Structure formats: C-alpha cells, structure tokens
Amino acid sequence: LECVETAKPMVPNRLVPFGDIPQTGTGEVYGSGFKGLDEGMGFSFVIPELVIVTGEPGSGKSELTAIIGANLANYHSLPGAILQFEDRTVRVRETLIRYAMSNVSTCEDNRQAAKDWVDRWFRTIEPDQNLDLDQDYSLAWLTETIREARVRHGCRWVVIDPWNELEHVFDKNKNEASYTNDALRKLKRLARAHQILLFVVAHPSKEGGQKKEIVDMDLYGISGGAAWNNKADHGIIVHRPDKSKNDVYVKVSKSKDHLVMGKPGICRMQYMPATGQYRYVGM
C-alpha cells in the first residue's frame, strides 16, 4: 500500500519539490592556498565553478592562475590542465618546477623530483607542434578538450589562457555580447556536468585596460559585455601598478556565495618568481 501511495509519475512534472532533484555535486570546497584570500576574505572554491581572471597585460594574471592550479594539486591533490595559447609551454613548466622545488615537501631542492611531480599532476598542449596548422581553436574544440581532460586524465580543474586567442566565430544574427553570453553559459554547463573548476583568463578591452586603480577595475572591462560578470562564480582581477616591481594587487570582484566562497575585497601580495610563491603583504 505504501509503494502505491508514494509512487512517482512516469512523466514527472516540470516543477518538483527540491528534495526530488538528484544531487549531482559533492559540494567540494577548497582554499586557494593564498593566505590573503583564504584567511583575509574567507575565500574558497566550490566545485563546480566558472572563475574569470582578468588584468591588464603584464599584470601576472597567467602566473597567478598557474600558481592557483599548483596549490590545488599540492594542497588538495587535484590534477588539472593548463590550456595555454600565448605563453611557451616550457616557460609554464619552469614556473611549476620552481614552485614544486620550494613548496612540495617531496621535491625540496630536487629538480628531477619536481619534474616528475609536474608530469604527474598537470596536463597541457603545445598548439603549434601537436595540432594541425589548420586546426581552429573554436568553442567546439575547447569543449572536447575539456571533456578529454576530465574523462581521460581525471582533471578536476582546467585553465583556458587566454580566452582572446580562441577562434570566436558567430553568425550575423549575433553580436559579440550575445555570443559571449551563450559561450559562457555552455562552459558553465560543462563545468557542472564534469564537476570541475573552470578558469578563464581574459584580457580587458581597450577601455577596460585604461583603468589605473585596482578599486575601479571590474569584470565589465572585458570585451564582450556584462556576461563576464553575470556568469562568473568568482571574478578575480590582478593588478601590478609598477611592472618593475613584484608587488601585486589581487581583487576578488565577485563571489557568488559570500557564506561559502568568501566576500569581495582586495589584498596585496608580493610575487617571488624564484620560488613560485605569493607572499601576503596586507589588505
């Protein structure tokens, strides 16, 4: 009698109680590994997420994102992939090796151990060598590459760096803003489906790059419109006012859930290239 009375319809309603929706996510929460963010702002990544990282050229946004990935591997045992289209693969690898030699206990001052650690936890591509010259790095190509990273290599986070180097082709019925909105929506669905952190590094537009003070910078300065801010779960802005120095300002301009992901704010750090570390200076 209980089975009959509690039976579910074969064709369920579109509107259902919250308890009837399967929980596909695990609610995994991970710190960034940076004291200024984690302790100062209560910052945490919650898988799945779309994380937008921006900043003017030369600010160090690619370096910061790579080190975040290294922290995820080192402190949380999360393998990942770095899809780097502008920088040389060897340079990114050297950054990770220096990080491992200074921050991973099993690799301390041991270059070969550091190399092995990098090969174990990271995947990447070399577009100019491993792909056909006619290969378009389109949204479809990106989608398949992210799926490969997750399914074949077990990656829990993927960095796309930079967004501007992908082939963005949209029909005459769309403008850049509507294309960007649709593309980011698809990437968010992909992140949910595969339960990953998806980092997108994007250059600011000409107008957005002219803002000189970190307090004035936001995700609206990226070419493509408001979708960058609207679709982001976390928005991170990197600013280095004096390129001759290693002082870096990191601004969390958006945090979708202040209770779990932390609150927006700005912290000042100093990047030490020799060790791949960011030393917290202050808020």
Side-chain angles (χ1 to χ4, degrees), residues 52-74:
I52 307 300
V53 184
T54 189
E56 74 273 15
S59 61
K61 54 185 179 293
S62 295
E63 207 93 11
L64 179 87
T65 310
I67 298 302
I68 289 177
N71 285 341
L72 290 171
N74 187 23

Side-chain angles (χ1 to χ4, degrees), residues 3 8 22 30 34 38 47 52 74 79 81-82 84-85 101 120 163 184 186 203 237 239 242 259 267 269:
C3 287
K8 302 289 184 180
Y30 301 102
F34 295 141
D38 298 347
I47 294 180
I52 307 300
N74 187 23
I82 299 177
Q84 173 73 261
F85 301 103
M101 292 178 67
R120 176 185 178 188
W163 174 260
L184 293 180
K186 289 177 182 178
H203 297 316
I237 300 171
H239 179 53
D242 187 344
L259 292 178
C267 76
M269 297 190 286

Side-chain angles (χ1 to χ4, degrees), residues 4-217:
V4 173
E5 290 179 344
T6 59
K8 302 289 184 180
M10 293 183 65
V11 182
N13 297 321
R14 293 184 179 181
L15 300 177
V16 297
F18 279 94
D20 286 357
I21 300 175
Q23 299 299 308
T24 56
T26 59
E28 299 164 282
V29 180
Y30 301 102
S32 69
F34 295 141
K35 179 180 178 181
L37 296 182
D38 298 347
E39 297 182 14
M41 304 180 196
F43 186 98
S44 289
F45 294 115
V46 181
I47 294 180
E49 264 201 52
L50 176 64
V51 184
I52 307 300
V53 184
T54 189
E56 74 273 15
S59 61
K61 54 185 179 293
S62 295
E63 207 93 11
L64 179 87
T65 310
I67 298 302
I68 289 177
N71 285 341
L72 290 171
N74 187 23
Y75 301 132
H76 307 297
S77 299
L78 298 180
I82 299 177
L83 309 182
Q84 173 73 261
F85 301 103
E86 276 187 342
D87 212 346
R88 293 174 297 130
T89 302
V90 65
R91 183 172 178 269
V92 179
R93 187 186 187 214
E94 283 299 317
T95 296
L96 297 174
I97 289 174
R98 291 195 303 270
Y99 171 93
M101 292 178 67
S102 301
N103 298 278
V104 180
S105 58
T106 58
C107 305
E108 186 174 353
D109 296 327
N110 187 328
R111 185 172 177 82
Q112 185 56 52
K115 288 181 179 180
D116 294 340
W117 182 82
V118 171
D119 287 343
R120 176 185 178 188
W121 292 103
F122 302 91
R123 295 294 179 266
T124 190
I125 59 170
E126 185 71 48
D128 293 337
Q129 297 179 18
N130 295 340
L131 296 177
D132 295 334
L133 294 179
D134 294 333
Q135 172 71 57
D136 292 331
Y137 309 129
S138 62
L139 187 61
W141 173 89
L142 179 63
T143 299
E144 289 305 314
T145 303
I146 292 172
R147 283 180 177 145
E148 178 186 350
R150 180 68 177 110
V151 176
R152 295 186 61 184
H153 301 285
C155 295
R156 299 304 313 279
W157 54 269
V158 176
V159 173
I160 303 165
D161 184 11
W163 174 260
N164 311 66
E165 284 296 309
L166 291 169
E167 299 289 339
H168 301 295
V169 181
F170 43 90
D171 59 45
K172 61 182 180 181
N173 297 321
K174 285 187 177 181
N175 55 26
E176 185 179 12
S178 61
Y179 165 81
T180 301
N181 185 77
D182 291 345
L184 293 180
R185 185 175 67 247
K186 289 177 182 178
L187 290 180
K188 287 200 71 166
R189 289 177 178 173
L190 194 64
R192 292 193 202 103
H194 292 295
Q195 291 296 295
I196 60 174
L197 288 170
L198 193 55
F199 295 87
V200 178
V201 179
H203 297 316
S205 63
K206 182 178 179 180
E207 294 76 15
Q210 292 175 346
K211 296 179 180 178
K212 299 301 181 182
E213 299 296 332
I214 184 65
V215 294
D216 300 323
M217 297 178 180

